[in-house]
Amino acid sequence: MLKGKTALITGSTSGIGLAAAYVLAEQGINLVLHGLMDDEAGQALADEFATKYNIKTLFDGANLMLAEDISVFMAKAIEVMGSIDILVNNAGIQHTESIDTFPENKWDAIIAINLTAAFHTIQKSLAGMKTNGWGRIINIASVHGLVASLNKSAYVAAKHGIVGLTKAVALECAEHGITVNSICPGWVDTSLINNQINDIAQQKSVSFEQAKYALVNAKQPLPEMMDPRQIGEFILFLCSNSARSITGSALPMDGAWTAQ
Ligand SMILES: NC(=O)c1ccc[n+]([C@@H]2O[C@H](COP(=O)([O-])OP(=O)(O)OC[C@H]3O[C@@H](n4cnc5c(N)ncnc54)[C@H](O)[C@@H]3O)[C@@H](O)[C@H]2O)c1
Protein backbone atom coordinates (compact mmCIF):
# COMPACT_ATOMS: atom_id res chain seq x y z
CA MET A 1 0.00 0.00 0.00
CA LEU A 2 2.85 2.44 0.76
CA LYS A 3 5.39 1.23 -1.80
CA GLY A 4 5.88 3.83 -4.53
CA LYS A 5 4.45 6.72 -2.50
CA THR A 6 6.67 9.73 -1.81
CA ALA A 7 7.63 11.02 1.63
CA LEU A 8 9.27 14.37 2.29
CA ILE A 9 11.02 14.50 5.66
CA THR A 10 12.44 17.84 6.76
CA GLY A 11 15.64 17.57 8.77
CA SER A 12 16.41 14.06 7.53
CA THR A 13 20.19 14.45 7.43
CA SER A 14 20.52 13.35 11.06
CA GLY A 15 18.75 12.10 14.19
CA ILE A 16 15.04 11.26 14.08
CA GLY A 17 14.55 12.38 10.47
CA LEU A 18 17.36 10.19 9.15
CA ALA A 19 16.19 7.18 11.17
CA ALA A 20 12.64 7.71 9.83
CA ALA A 21 14.03 7.90 6.30
CA TYR A 22 15.56 4.43 6.70
CA VAL A 23 12.32 2.98 8.06
CA LEU A 24 10.25 4.39 5.17
CA ALA A 25 12.84 3.47 2.52
CA GLU A 26 12.74 -0.15 3.70
CA GLN A 27 9.05 -0.13 2.63
CA GLY A 28 9.91 1.09 -0.88
CA ILE A 29 8.71 4.64 -0.21
CA ASN A 30 10.43 7.28 -2.39
CA LEU A 31 12.16 9.99 -0.37
CA VAL A 32 12.79 13.71 -0.41
CA LEU A 33 15.71 14.09 1.98
CA HIS A 34 16.41 17.49 3.44
CA GLY A 35 18.60 19.24 5.97
CA LEU A 36 21.56 21.50 6.57
CA MET A 37 24.17 19.56 4.64
CA ASP A 38 26.21 20.70 1.65
CA ASP A 39 24.87 19.69 -1.74
CA GLU A 40 27.61 17.16 -2.46
CA ALA A 41 27.14 15.27 0.80
CA GLY A 42 23.34 15.54 0.46
CA GLN A 43 23.45 14.14 -3.07
CA ALA A 44 25.69 11.29 -1.88
CA LEU A 45 23.18 10.47 0.87
CA ALA A 46 20.29 10.54 -1.62
CA ASP A 47 22.24 8.29 -4.04
CA GLU A 48 23.02 5.85 -1.24
CA PHE A 49 19.30 5.53 -0.39
CA ALA A 50 18.33 5.19 -4.05
CA THR A 51 20.82 2.39 -4.68
CA LYS A 52 20.29 0.48 -1.45
CA TYR A 53 16.47 0.54 -1.48
CA ASN A 54 15.78 0.88 -5.22
CA ILE A 55 13.70 4.02 -4.68
CA LYS A 56 13.57 7.48 -6.20
CA THR A 57 15.25 10.14 -4.07
CA LEU A 58 15.93 13.87 -4.04
CA PHE A 59 18.03 15.97 -1.66
CA ASP A 60 17.57 19.65 -0.90
CA GLY A 61 19.33 21.85 1.64
CA ALA A 62 16.73 24.63 1.92
CA ASN A 63 17.08 26.85 4.96
CA LEU A 64 13.75 26.57 6.76
CA MET A 65 14.19 30.02 8.27
CA LEU A 66 13.49 31.50 4.84
CA ALA A 67 9.96 31.29 3.39
CA GLU A 68 11.28 31.88 -0.13
CA ASP A 69 13.74 28.95 0.18
CA ILE A 70 10.93 26.69 1.37
CA SER A 71 8.77 27.76 -1.55
CA VAL A 72 11.49 26.91 -4.10
CA PHE A 73 12.25 23.63 -2.30
CA MET A 74 8.62 22.48 -2.26
CA ALA A 75 8.04 23.41 -5.91
CA LYS A 76 11.16 21.43 -6.90
CA ALA A 77 10.15 18.42 -4.78
CA ILE A 78 6.65 18.32 -6.29
CA GLU A 79 7.95 18.77 -9.83
CA VAL A 80 10.57 16.01 -9.53
CA MET A 81 8.57 13.51 -7.44
CA GLY A 82 5.03 14.14 -8.72
CA SER A 83 3.37 14.82 -5.40
CA ILE A 84 4.17 14.60 -1.72
CA ASP A 85 2.04 11.83 -0.21
CA ILE A 86 3.64 11.77 3.24
CA LEU A 87 4.93 14.96 4.80
CA VAL A 88 6.99 14.69 7.97
CA ASN A 89 7.75 18.07 9.54
CA ASN A 90 10.69 17.06 11.66
CA ALA A 91 13.46 19.68 11.44
CA GLY A 92 13.98 21.51 14.68
CA ILE A 93 16.47 23.33 16.87
CA GLN A 94 16.73 24.03 20.58
CA HIS A 95 18.13 26.75 22.82
CA THR A 96 17.76 26.70 26.59
CA GLU A 97 17.99 29.92 28.57
CA SER A 98 15.90 31.90 31.04
CA ILE A 99 13.24 34.15 29.55
CA ASP A 100 15.07 37.08 31.22
CA THR A 101 17.97 36.84 28.81
CA PHE A 102 16.58 34.64 26.02
CA PRO A 103 18.11 36.07 22.81
CA GLU A 104 15.64 37.51 20.32
CA ASN A 105 17.42 35.89 17.37
CA LYS A 106 17.14 32.44 19.02
CA TRP A 107 13.42 33.01 19.63
CA ASP A 108 12.91 33.98 15.97
CA ALA A 109 14.91 31.00 14.67
CA ILE A 110 13.10 28.46 16.87
CA ILE A 111 9.65 29.77 15.92
CA ALA A 112 10.62 29.88 12.21
CA ILE A 113 12.16 26.39 11.99
CA ASN A 114 10.07 24.49 14.55
CA LEU A 115 6.68 26.03 13.69
CA THR A 116 6.36 28.42 10.74
CA ALA A 117 8.22 26.12 8.32
CA ALA A 118 5.52 23.49 8.88
CA PHE A 119 2.82 25.98 7.88
CA HIS A 120 4.64 26.51 4.57
CA THR A 121 5.35 22.85 3.80
CA ILE A 122 1.78 21.81 4.68
CA GLN A 123 0.28 24.58 2.55
CA LYS A 124 2.41 23.56 -0.43
CA SER A 125 1.70 19.80 -0.07
CA LEU A 126 -2.06 19.87 0.33
CA ALA A 127 -3.19 20.38 -3.27
CA GLY A 128 -1.55 17.13 -4.44
CA MET A 129 -2.83 15.17 -1.44
CA LYS A 130 -6.38 16.45 -2.07
CA THR A 131 -6.16 15.52 -5.75
CA ASN A 132 -5.04 12.00 -4.77
CA GLY A 133 -7.61 11.74 -1.97
CA TRP A 134 -4.89 10.46 0.34
CA GLY A 135 -2.21 12.03 2.50
CA ARG A 136 -0.36 11.74 5.77
CA ILE A 137 1.04 14.75 7.60
CA ILE A 138 3.09 13.94 10.67
CA ASN A 139 4.55 16.73 12.74
CA ILE A 140 7.34 15.86 15.14
CA ALA A 141 6.36 17.97 18.11
CA SER A 142 7.59 17.02 21.59
CA VAL A 143 6.35 16.47 25.11
CA HIS A 144 6.98 20.20 25.15
CA GLY A 145 3.93 20.53 22.93
CA LEU A 146 1.94 19.29 25.94
CA VAL A 147 3.83 20.50 29.02
CA ALA A 148 6.57 23.02 29.76
CA SER A 149 10.06 22.76 31.24
CA LEU A 150 12.31 25.45 32.66
CA ASN A 151 14.32 27.65 30.29
CA LYS A 152 12.64 26.48 27.09
CA SER A 153 10.20 29.34 26.36
CA ALA A 154 10.66 29.44 22.58
CA TYR A 155 10.76 25.65 22.15
CA VAL A 156 7.66 25.13 24.32
CA ALA A 157 5.80 27.92 22.50
CA ALA A 158 6.74 26.50 19.08
CA LYS A 159 5.85 22.92 20.04
CA HIS A 160 2.50 23.92 21.56
CA GLY A 161 1.98 25.88 18.33
CA ILE A 162 2.60 22.89 16.11
CA VAL A 163 0.22 20.77 18.17
CA GLY A 164 -2.43 23.48 17.56
CA LEU A 165 -1.58 23.69 13.86
CA THR A 166 -1.96 19.90 13.65
CA LYS A 167 -5.48 20.03 15.09
CA ALA A 168 -6.58 22.91 12.87
CA VAL A 169 -5.30 21.34 9.65
CA ALA A 170 -6.75 17.93 10.62
CA LEU A 171 -10.23 19.49 10.74
CA GLU A 172 -9.81 21.08 7.33
CA CYS A 173 -8.48 17.88 5.71
CA ALA A 174 -10.60 15.17 7.34
CA GLU A 175 -12.93 14.69 4.38
CA HIS A 176 -10.06 14.42 1.88
CA GLY A 177 -8.49 11.20 3.20
CA ILE A 178 -5.65 13.18 4.75
CA THR A 179 -4.68 12.57 8.36
CA VAL A 180 -2.67 15.08 10.38
CA ASN A 181 -1.02 14.14 13.66
CA SER A 182 1.73 15.22 16.02
CA ILE A 183 4.12 12.81 17.67
CA CYS A 184 5.25 14.09 21.06
CA PRO A 185 8.50 12.34 22.02
CA GLY A 186 10.28 12.47 25.34
CA TRP A 187 14.07 12.13 25.25
CA VAL A 188 15.46 10.72 22.02
CA ASP A 189 19.13 9.89 21.59
CA THR A 190 20.23 12.53 19.03
CA SER A 191 22.67 15.42 18.86
CA LEU A 192 19.84 17.92 19.53
CA ILE A 193 20.13 17.33 23.27
CA ASN A 194 23.93 17.12 23.55
CA ASN A 195 24.26 20.69 24.84
CA GLN A 196 21.82 19.92 27.64
CA ILE A 197 23.77 16.75 28.55
CA ASN A 198 27.08 18.63 28.46
CA ASP A 199 25.67 21.34 30.77
CA ILE A 200 24.66 18.70 33.35
CA ALA A 201 28.04 16.94 33.03
CA GLN A 202 29.79 20.23 33.75
CA GLN A 203 27.48 21.31 36.58
CA LYS A 204 27.66 17.92 38.37
CA SER A 205 31.23 17.01 37.37
CA VAL A 206 30.07 13.66 35.94
CA SER A 207 30.67 11.83 32.66
CA PHE A 208 28.58 12.40 29.52
CA GLU A 209 26.88 9.01 30.01
CA GLN A 210 26.07 9.73 33.67
CA ALA A 211 24.70 13.15 32.71
CA LYS A 212 22.56 11.57 30.00
CA TYR A 213 21.02 9.20 32.55
CA ALA A 214 20.40 12.11 34.95
CA LEU A 215 18.66 14.10 32.20
CA VAL A 216 16.30 11.23 31.32
CA ASN A 217 15.68 10.25 34.90
CA ALA A 218 14.65 13.75 35.92
CA LYS A 219 11.57 13.62 33.69
CA GLN A 220 10.76 10.08 32.55
CA PRO A 221 9.58 7.26 34.84
CA LEU A 222 10.95 4.95 32.12
CA PRO A 223 14.62 5.85 32.53
CA GLU A 224 15.63 5.07 28.98
CA MET A 225 16.38 7.33 26.09
CA MET A 226 14.52 6.43 22.91
CA ASP A 227 16.25 5.17 19.79
CA PRO A 228 15.31 7.53 16.91
CA ARG A 229 14.24 4.51 14.88
CA GLN A 230 11.32 3.99 17.28
CA ILE A 231 9.89 7.31 16.10
CA GLY A 232 10.38 6.19 12.49
CA GLU A 233 8.37 3.06 13.19
CA PHE A 234 5.58 5.10 14.78
CA ILE A 235 5.55 7.33 11.67
CA LEU A 236 5.23 4.21 9.51
CA PHE A 237 2.25 3.01 11.58
CA LEU A 238 0.56 6.42 11.19
CA CYS A 239 0.96 6.03 7.42
CA SER A 240 -0.75 2.64 7.44
CA ASN A 241 -4.38 1.94 6.65
CA SER A 242 -4.90 0.78 10.25
CA ALA A 243 -4.21 4.34 11.41
CA ARG A 244 -6.63 6.04 9.00
CA SER A 245 -8.96 7.16 11.80
CA ILE A 246 -6.20 8.70 13.89
CA THR A 247 -6.19 12.39 13.03
CA GLY A 248 -5.88 15.65 14.91
CA SER A 249 -4.04 13.84 17.69
CA ALA A 250 -1.00 14.77 19.75
CA LEU A 251 0.50 11.37 20.49
CA PRO A 252 2.96 11.13 23.38
CA MET A 253 5.83 8.66 23.11
CA ASP A 254 7.51 9.67 26.29
CA GLY A 255 8.21 6.94 28.86
CA ALA A 256 5.25 8.25 30.94
CA TRP A 257 6.73 11.78 31.22
CA THR A 258 3.30 13.42 30.69
CA ALA A 259 1.38 10.77 32.64
CA GLN A 260 2.48 12.37 35.89
N1 LIG B 1 16.05 14.53 20.52
C1 LIG B 1 15.04 14.65 21.34
O1 LIG B 1 15.12 14.30 22.53
C2 LIG B 1 13.73 15.18 20.85
C3 LIG B 1 12.62 15.07 21.68
C4 LIG B 1 11.38 15.54 21.25
C5 LIG B 1 11.27 16.14 20.02
N2 LIG B 1 12.36 16.25 19.21
C6 LIG B 1 12.17 16.91 17.92
O2 LIG B 1 12.56 16.03 16.90
C7 LIG B 1 12.94 16.78 15.75
C8 LIG B 1 14.27 16.26 15.20
O3 LIG B 1 15.27 16.48 16.16
P1 LIG B 1 16.56 15.57 16.34
O4 LIG B 1 16.61 15.25 17.78
O5 LIG B 1 16.58 14.48 15.34
O6 LIG B 1 17.69 16.66 16.04
P2 LIG B 1 18.93 16.73 15.03
O7 LIG B 1 19.69 17.94 15.47
O8 LIG B 1 19.62 15.43 14.94
O9 LIG B 1 18.24 17.01 13.61
C9 LIG B 1 17.71 18.26 13.27
C10 LIG B 1 17.53 18.34 11.76
O10 LIG B 1 16.97 19.63 11.45
C11 LIG B 1 17.74 20.24 10.42
N3 LIG B 1 17.73 21.70 10.56
C12 LIG B 1 18.07 22.44 11.65
N4 LIG B 1 17.98 23.76 11.35
C13 LIG B 1 17.57 23.85 10.07
C14 LIG B 1 17.31 24.92 9.17
N5 LIG B 1 17.47 26.22 9.52
N6 LIG B 1 16.92 24.65 7.91
C15 LIG B 1 16.78 23.36 7.51
N7 LIG B 1 17.00 22.30 8.30
C16 LIG B 1 17.41 22.54 9.57
C17 LIG B 1 19.15 19.68 10.62
O11 LIG B 1 19.92 19.83 9.43
C18 LIG B 1 18.85 18.24 10.99
O12 LIG B 1 18.66 17.48 9.80
C19 LIG B 1 12.98 18.24 16.19
O13 LIG B 1 11.81 18.91 15.78
C20 LIG B 1 13.01 18.14 17.70
O14 LIG B 1 12.46 19.27 18.33
C21 LIG B 1 13.59 15.79 19.59
Side-chain angles (χ1 to χ4, degrees):
M1 175 215 169
L2 295 172
K3 190 172 162 51
K5 292 202 184 294
T6 294
L8 183 153
I9 310 175
T10 66
S12 42
T13 51
S14 69
I16 294 170
L18 182 59
Y22 281 110
V23 172
L24 298 189
E26 285 162 14
Q27 301 300 315
I29 296 171
N30 299 318
L31 284 178
V32 180
L33 297 159
H34 161 268
L36 295 183
M37 186 178 253
D38 68 58
D39 280 345
E40 203 178 318
Q43 192 54 52
L45 183 68
D47 290 346
E48 188 190 314
F49 269 94
T51 308
K52 186 165 179 200
Y53 299 103
N54 195 23
I55 56 172
K56 191 170 176 184
T57 60
L58 175 72
F59 168 79
D60 196 281
N63 183 349
L64 297 186
M65 286 186 66
L66 307 171
E68 183 52 33
D69 271 31
I70 303 174
S71 198
V72 172
F73 164 44
M74 294 303 291
K76 180 172 122 192
I78 291 164
E79 190 192 326
V80 174
M81 307 299 278
S83 64
I84 306 304
D85 306 301
I86 299 163
L87 171 66
V88 182
N89 285 305
N90 165 76
I93 58 166
Q94 174 63 289
H95 179 79
T96 58
E97 191 167 335
S98 158
I99 187 73
D100 297 325
T101 53
F102 204 92
E104 200 178 311
N105 65 339
K106 296 282 185 197
W107 171 276
D108 288 343
I110 289 175
I111 299 297
I113 298 163
N114 296 19
L115 174 58
T116 309
F119 159 74
H120 293 298
T121 57
I122 290 171
Q123 197 174 55
K124 302 281 190 279
S125 304
L126 276 181
M129 290 181 181
K130 284 183 182 172
T131 302
N132 296 336
W134 193 93
R136 294 287 186 267
I137 299 174
I138 296 150
N139 298 318
I140 306 305
S142 163
V143 284
H144 291 108
L146 305 171
V147 296
S149 292
L150 284 173
N151 300 327
K152 293 186 176 173
S153 53
Y155 191 81
V156 169
K159 294 299 187 183
H160 274 69
I162 203 159
V163 165
L165 177 66
T166 301
K167 293 178 184 175
V169 180
L171 296 184
E172 293 190 33
C173 292
E175 51 184 317
H176 297 281
I178 302 166
T179 68
V180 191
N181 291 290
S182 301
I183 297 177
C184 299
W187 297 119
V188 189
D189 204 350
T190 75
S191 57
L192 185 99
I193 57 174
N194 281 354
N195 285 345
Q196 294 172 71
I197 298 171
N198 284 327
D199 286 350
I200 293 175
Q202 209 173 10
Q203 283 156 18
K204 299 192 170 178
S205 300
V206 294
S207 71
F208 187 82
E209 282 310 312
Q210 287 168 317
K212 197 189 243 190
Y213 181 77
L215 184 76
V216 176
N217 214 25
K219 295 285 189 181
Q220 288 187 200
L222 178 72
E224 187 184 291
M225 209 165 263
M226 254 181 295
D227 180 332
R229 199 182 152 91
Q230 290 174 259
I231 315 277
E233 283 161 0
F234 197 12
I235 291 170
L236 181 62
F237 170 69
L238 289 174
C239 292
S240 72
N241 198 38
S242 306
R244 67 189 181 281
S245 303
I246 304 175
T247 191
S249 301
L251 303 159
M253 196 174 177
D254 66 359
W257 180 330
T258 55
Q260 300 164 95

